[in-house]
Amino acid sequence: MRSVVVHYKELALKGKNRPWFIRLLVRNLKGALAGLHVAAVRSVMGRIEIELGDETPWEEARARLARVFGIANFSAANRGPHDFAALAASILADLGRREAASFRVSATRADKRLPFTSPQVEREVGGLIKEAKGWRVDLEHPALTIHVEMLPDGAFYFFGKEPGAGGMPSGTGGRVACLLSGGIDSPVAAYRMMRRGCSVLLIHFHSYPILSRASQEKVREIAALLTKHQLRSRLVLVPFGELQQQVVLAVPPPLRVVIYRRLMLRIAERLARKAHARALVTGEVIGQVASQTLENMTAIAQATPLQILRPLVGMDKDEISAEAERIGTFPISIIPDQDCCTLFTPKHPATRARLPEVEAAEQALPIDDMIAAALGAAAVEDFRFPVLEYAVARRRGDPS
Ligand code: ATP
Ligand code: MG
């Protein structure tokens, strides 16, 4: 098969913005397939055609396509003529020795001015294939569906459809900043925002050198994995251990967790604004742990005027874990580490922190100086997918 036909669904609903969405999807497809010798990616009347090159490795191209957001389904396809007999001959040649218990031809017309109807294509082309192969026609539950899409200058045909990743093309949803721990939840939260078309800045708070570098290694791995979806990511690593020590010295134990979180949000807000991100994202879930009661979440959120998005807020842990498995972050998340929030975490954190109390406790802290110090010591790391040979060479300082 020389092409891939890509179908989008949700995009069709977007009215005036449609050309822009399609342009971004085409851009993202080109980016995702970079280095695979693809000849062209173009929008063709309501679908996208990827023209493969002679050297394109299909399995790799397929794996990358399955991660691109904004795709309903895709299929390896070939082009054929309008003429029914010639089209059937072309399909039969591609079917080769393939066998099927039953089949049907399913036709659509991209251009309604074509001088034949879809049922006519199905009947005529299907009849010729049945004659040649002797397969039974089953319109309801065919073992093999042969799709034919009639375009003004010819036809696409393909066998079956592979599910796409759904969602919206990266870059259509605006920029957000996700607080990414090494845990199970926040990587899933970041993924969900990416799937809705957002570009996600990743922010991690660590307690190195008080604790090991393990949490940083984990979020790097998670960032690299998520970058296979959004193609470019920035990860900001913020040292948080010293701030926690300051909190421990000044704040009674029950309020500490809420105050750590408020500090994180304030720092994240600054980083978000600098990156032109319009909202913060967390992996918070109602009732999951002591800091995630509705009361505490409210007291925490009031540390920033920025919108806070919590894509997992109503999910059960097992649902989140299943999604983490599916997207591949779960095995990384369960690697043991010392989370900065287990450090200095009291045994009995308040479950109903009230804002006046929290604000009074914060009076004892030089909040602005703490934020400035953390921002000054933050490190930035950029990720790209795919990592092309020349990019690796350049990073190593190779002359080529
Ligand atoms: P997760 O599995 O995402 O760590 P959790 O159930 O362990 O979530 P908490 O540890 O209370 O819950 O964290 C709530 C949210 O706060 C996280 O989902 C994440 O968005 C943010 N967060 C917590 N710790 C950190 C950290 N070290 N760096 C960045 N964000 C963090
Ligand atoms: Mg956690």
Side-chain angles (χ1 to χ4, degrees):
M1 296 297 208
R2 299 297 352 124
S3 291
V4 181
V5 174
V6 174
H7 293 107
Y8 35 82
K9 189 167 60 188
E10 206 168 348
L11 302 188
L13 307 172
K14 296 294 168 183
K16 282 205 310 279
N17 284 334
R18 206 164 165 236
W20 176 64
F21 282 76
I22 294 168
R23 233 179 9 256
L24 284 175
L25 183 53
V26 167
R27 180 200 71 180
N28 296 345
L29 286 166
K30 285 180 181 167
L33 297 169
L36 299 188
H37 312 286
V38 163
V41 181
R42 62 175 86 89
S43 163
V44 185
M45 302 196 80
R47 69 267 291 134
I48 291 170
E49 177 185 16
I50 300 168
E51 204 183 305
L52 302 175
D54 292 336
E55 293 171 58
T56 304
W58 169 240
E59 285 308 324
E60 177 63 18
R62 176 193 202 171
R64 292 193 193 178
L65 285 172
R67 291 190 294 256
V68 175
F69 293 131
I71 295 180
N73 58 69
F74 63 96
S75 311
N78 260 337
R79 277 182 176 264
H82 279 166
D83 177 74
F84 296 153
L87 179 57
S90 188
I91 293 172
L92 283 164
D94 277 327
L95 283 170
R97 307 166 79 88
R98 188 164 170 157
E99 286 303 326
S102 61
F103 85 109
R104 74 163 292 178
V105 171
S106 171
T108 58
R109 288 182 310 164
D111 187 341
K112 303 300 176 212
R113 289 167 303 188
L114 290 169
F116 41 76
T117 63
S118 299
Q120 213 177 338
V121 175
E122 293 176 352
R123 235 180 5 253
E124 302 275 342
V125 177
L128 291 166
I129 293 170
K130 180 176 161 57
E131 208 171 287
K133 286 287 211 177
W135 292 344
R136 183 170 59 84
V137 174
D138 183 343
L139 300 180
E140 296 294 316
H141 304 287
L144 175 70
T145 299
I146 300 171
H147 297 270
V148 174
E149 300 191 340
M150 289 297 195
L151 306 167
D153 61 342
F156 281 127
Y157 61 86
F158 46 91
F159 312 131
K161 294 180 178 180
E162 307 205 30
M168 305 290 276
S170 284
T172 59
R175 193 179 295 277
V176 297
C178 181
L179 284 80
L180 184 71
S181 73
I184 293 169
D185 306 331
S186 43
V188 177
Y191 173 89
R192 287 202 157 197
M193 296 311 297
M194 287 178 192
R195 189 163 184 262
R196 292 310 303 162
C198 290
S199 305
V200 182
L201 171 72
L202 305 169
I203 302 174
H204 175 65
F205 297 91
H206 65 83
S207 300
Y208 181 80
I210 302 169
L211 299 179
S212 76
R213 291 184 200 266
S215 78
Q216 294 182 69
E217 291 303 329
K218 285 171 66 176
V219 292
R220 275 191 193 105
E221 252 189 85
I222 289 165
L225 193 147
L226 292 174
T227 304
K228 291 182 174 184
H229 295 280
Q230 69 172 358
L231 306 184
R232 282 160 183 265
S233 307
R234 172 160 286 187
L235 170 66
V236 187
L237 299 159
V238 185
F240 200 65
E242 275 184 39
L243 274 66
Q244 286 183 292
Q245 285 175 322
Q246 283 173 273
V247 172
V248 166
L249 292 177
V251 173
L255 290 181
R256 284 178 195 162
V257 173
V258 169
I259 289 179
Y260 298 152
R261 288 278 187 272
R262 284 168 59 88
L263 280 166
M264 285 184 185
L265 285 188
R266 290 187 179 104
I267 295 164
E269 177 195 330
R270 301 289 186 86
L271 293 167
R273 289 195 195 281
K274 214 168 107 194
H276 307 289
R278 291 172 192 281
L280 301 178
V281 176
T282 73
E284 288 167 302
V285 179
I286 285 277
Q288 198 190 74
V289 290
S291 61
Q292 296 179 24
T293 61
L294 195 52
E295 289 87 346
N296 282 358
M297 276 165 58
T298 307
I300 292 167
Q302 275 164 322
T304 173
L306 265 192
Q307 163 100 292
I308 301 178
L309 303 173
R310 302 176 183 88
L312 314 184
V313 74
M315 291 177 77
D316 287 349
K317 193 73 187 184
D318 51 357
E319 292 170 329
I320 300 170
S321 297
E323 187 156 329
E325 283 277 14
R326 207 169 46 70
I327 66 178
T329 53
F330 190 81
I332 310 170
S333 293
I334 59 170
I335 296 171
D337 69 358
Q338 299 161 300
D339 182 31
C340 72
C341 291
T342 53
L343 180 68
F344 312 123
T345 296
K347 284 206 174 56
H348 303 290
T351 50
R352 285 155 194 257
R354 287 179 36 252
L355 194 60
E357 242 182 309
V358 173
E359 283 175 340
E362 282 178 352
Q363 292 297 319
L365 292 166
I367 299 273
D368 290 341
D369 294 346
M370 291 166 81
I371 293 173
L375 288 171
V380 170
E381 293 184 13
D382 287 324
F383 293 78
R384 283 191 80 152
F385 183 86
V387 181
L388 301 174
E389 304 284 317
Y390 67 82
V392 175
R394 203 169 44 203
R395 211 175 308 139
R396 283 206 212 102
D398 296 358
S400 55

